[in-house]
């Protein structure tokens, strides 16, 4: 079995845009409300949404809850910028399988911290060939709402519009760009 990586150019472009947008924070006067909102949104999106909802809830099935709670947590997780629930599950599965089996050959050579960082699943698509059975991701793919959350950039763009109406460019800079740049 072989682990293969290929650049994910749409994710690379999106993260370049996010980090370029975060530079706006240096150009606008910081408002404590915008900075505070960024930290609240970070906690909700990464702490509750991605860590609890997607990672522990959907991928590991560590707890059971109502479907509407599961969907709300997954939506918050999609706002983290780390990936949708289905793609996150697929990447987690490939990484777990490839770390637990010594017969899997990684197509990439050993490299430095920075080279490894830029080859992370944020910037690369990874898969195993031949692909083993991934029953958890297959179950998630059956759910229409979770499939919709794979288009997380639409959700993040809607959030940008809300932030603009709530507080203007400063709120977009801190509540969206700076928060997403801290995540990635």
């Amino acid at each position: 079995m072989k682990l293969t990586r290929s650049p994910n150019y749409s994710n690379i472009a999106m993260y370049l845009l996010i980090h370029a947008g975060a530079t706006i924070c240096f150009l606008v006067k910081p408002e404590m409300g915008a900075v505070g909102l960024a930290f609240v949104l970070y906690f909700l999106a990464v702490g509750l949404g991605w860590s609890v909802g997607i990672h522990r809830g959907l991928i590991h099935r560590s707890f059971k809850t109502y479907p509407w709670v599961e969907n709300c947590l997954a939506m918050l997780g999609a706002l983290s910028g780390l990936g949708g629930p289905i793609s996150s599950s697929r990447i987690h599965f490939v990484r777990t399988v490839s770390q637990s089996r010594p017969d899997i050959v990684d197509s990439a050579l050993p490299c430095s911290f920075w080279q490894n960082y830029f080859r992370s699943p944020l910037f690369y698509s990874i898969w195993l060939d031949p692909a083993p059975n991934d029953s958890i991701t297959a179950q998630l793919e059956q759910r229409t709402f979770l499939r919709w959350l794979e288009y997380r950039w639409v959700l993040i763009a809607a959030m940008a519009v809300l932030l603009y109406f709530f507080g203007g460019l400063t709120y977009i800079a801190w509540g969206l760009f700076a928060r997403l740049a801290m995540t990635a």
Side-chain angles (χ1 to χ4, degrees):
M1 193 172 294
K2 182 179 177 184
L3 177 67
T4 306
R5 302 171 200 260
S6 73
N8 185 331
Y9 294 111
S10 64
N11 274 7
I12 291 169
M14 192 54 65
Y15 283 104
L16 286 173
L17 177 68
I18 287 168
H19 285 80
T23 62
I24 295 171
C25 294
F26 297 112
L27 305 174
V28 296
K29 182 182 173 205
E31 295 177 24
M32 292 315 292
V35 175
L37 180 65
F39 282 104
V40 168
L41 291 174
Y42 183 86
F43 171 76
L44 290 173
V46 177
L48 284 178
W50 203 92
S51 297
V52 175
I54 292 177
H55 188 234
R56 287 287 158 210
L58 295 175
I59 295 173
H60 286 291
R61 298 288 183 192
S62 298
F63 62 90
K64 285 277 195 194
T65 188
Y66 298 105
W68 68 270
V69 172
E70 209 171 53
N71 287 342
C72 286
L73 290 173
M75 186 169 64
L76 284 173
L79 286 170
S80 72
L82 292 172
I86 295 168
S87 57
S88 295
S89 176
R90 188 175 297 114
I91 289 167
H92 191 278
F93 175 77
V94 169
R95 192 196 67 198
T96 301
V97 169
S98 64
Q99 288 175 344
S100 64
R101 294 193 38 194
D103 63 322
I104 294 179
V105 177
D106 190 342
S107 62
L109 299 171
C111 56
S112 72
F113 169 79
W114 288 109
Q115 289 170 320
N116 195 35
Y117 171 76
F118 287 109
R119 287 187 356 216
S120 76
L122 292 176
F123 305 110
Y124 276 76
S125 298
I126 59 173
W127 66 90
L128 292 170
D129 189 27
N133 183 30
D134 181 3
S135 61
I136 292 174
T137 303
Q139 289 172 7
L140 297 179
E141 287 173 337
Q142 300 299 314
R143 296 173 56 183
T144 305
F145 185 73
L146 298 182
R147 284 196 317 266
W148 180 79
L149 289 179
E150 287 300 307
Y151 301 101
R152 64 195 182 278
W153 301 116
V154 174
L155 191 62
I156 290 171
M159 181 182 214
V161 171
L162 287 174
L163 288 170
Y164 181 77
F165 284 120
F166 187 66
L169 185 60
T170 305
Y171 276 69
I172 292 175
W174 285 96
L176 186 77
F177 290 121
R179 176 184 62 84
L180 289 173
M182 287 188 316
T183 304

